Amino acid sequence: MATQSGLRYDPSAAYPVTEEDVVYLSADGAVRYARVYQPDGPGPFPVLVSVHGGAWSGGDHTNNAVTSGPIAASGVVVMTIGLRVAPEFPYPAQVQDANLAIRWARMHAEEYNGDPGAVGGIGYSSGGHTLPLAGMRPADSRYSAHELVDPTPAKLDWMIVCWPVIDSHARYEVAKANNSERLVTNTEGYFLNEDAMHEGNPQELLDRGESVAMPPTLVIHGTADENVPVEHAERFAASYAAAGGSVRLEKFEGEPHGFANEPGEAADRMVEVIKQFIAEQVNA
């Protein structure tokens, strides 16, 4: 990892945090913001691009404040991005947005006392589908369709996925079996057809043996998740490791989908797991 001289990350550190909303995307008549959580300290700090969930059909840059704030307070510049959403913007729109955000984060990192050589990502739920696609296919010409003046690569130095829709087609089948009309409708509204659910599918990238980037990965999942069965996360972690990737699966016993969306002991514990993982990547 080509970090700035002197970059170290102490997960036990505590800094005041300021928040700023900035435009990172203006395309196809859509403007989207990034909320930048900036630690007030000497830095340089690692950078974390945060991708929200919402079944590809909701959410914005204000999501996941429960975890973004505390992670930033430990000395991480967190950039929580708003995505274009379905059905107005179908696949691969959100992956394009994440690809741009990763490049934007590297390009602007130093403005926020961040290190452009230490940029990771975190995705929640459907964001845990979007982020891996961006991270595993950083040079895909479809995904890099948004132009940026600086030729900064969309490479992730590490990625974290929380209760991820890591196998989009398998979760579609689960939603149909559970008569979850909202999830079925939202999945169809984003992908438009089952062929796209298979093509744009992190699990199936590995199943097909595609040549993909494999940043070190942390997978977080609750064992009581009825939205995305924990078996999906287990299978992805096993496949990622078998393909030669570095991956860790942290299972939270008895916790449901989105268990850290609200303050509480589980959210606090998850933040500590994430901080330790980032420390291992940055300080290696």
Side-chain angles (χ1 to χ4, degrees), residues 209-273:
E210 286 194 24
S211 178
V212 295
M214 303 190 77
T217 296
L218 171 65
V219 182
I220 295 173
H221 215 102
T223 62
D225 193 327
E226 295 182 356
N227 183 314
V228 181
V230 69
E231 289 80 12
H232 292 191
E234 292 170 339
R235 183 179 176 217
F236 178 78
S239 299
Y240 204 81
S246 173
V247 61
R248 179 185 310 165
L249 172 61
E250 290 282 346
K251 292 188 283 189
F252 281 64
E253 291 297 325
E255 296 295 342
H257 193 77
F259 65 85
N261 288 341
E262 299 295 333
E265 185 274 335
D268 293 343
R269 185 156 44 96
M270 187 179 96
V271 167
E272 292 304 314
V273 169

Side-chain angles (χ1 to χ4, degrees), residues 12-193:
S12 66
Y15 297 94
V17 175
T18 59
E19 299 176 17
E20 178 185 0
D21 290 348
V22 297
V23 173
Y24 84 97
L25 166 67
S26 181
D28 299 328
V31 173
R32 293 295 182 268
Y33 291 88
R35 174 159 293 179
V36 181
Y37 297 78
Q38 182 177 359
D40 183 8
F45 300 112
V47 179
L48 189 67
V49 176
S50 178
V51 183
H52 65 76
W56 304 284
S57 304
D60 61 24
H61 64 289
T62 66
N63 283 34
N64 305 113
V66 169
T67 46
S68 295
I71 293 170
S74 69
V76 179
V77 178
V78 180
M79 297 181 174
T80 303
I81 64 169
L83 301 169
R84 295 174 299 162
V85 298
E88 183 178 3
F89 297 102
Y91 172 79
Q94 295 199 353
V95 193
Q96 293 171 343
D97 298 351
N99 176 289
L100 173 68
I102 295 164
R103 291 181 283 140
W104 191 96
R106 286 198 193 274
M107 181 177 174
H108 293 275
E110 292 180 353
E111 298 171 25
Y112 299 97
N113 208 7
D115 188 335
V119 176
I122 184 168
Y124 302 81
S125 193
S126 60
H129 163 270
T130 299
L131 181 74
L133 282 182
M136 295 169 75
R137 287 172 164 172
D140 189 299
S141 60
R142 298 168 302 158
Y143 297 169
S144 58
H146 293 314
E147 294 184 0
L148 196 62
V149 173
D150 189 287
T152 306
K155 171 181 171 289
L156 284 175
D157 295 309
W158 69 87
M159 66 181 181
I160 303 160
V161 289
C162 308
W163 45 94
V165 185
I166 205 68
D167 185 334
S168 42
H169 188 267
R171 206 287 290 271
Y172 176 63
E173 294 295 333
V174 168
K176 289 195 295 183
N178 291 342
N179 295 314
S180 178
E181 183 177 344
R182 180 184 70 87
L183 292 179
V184 170
T185 299
N186 289 347
T187 305
E188 292 173 346
Y190 181 60
F191 288 101
L192 305 181
N193 57 66

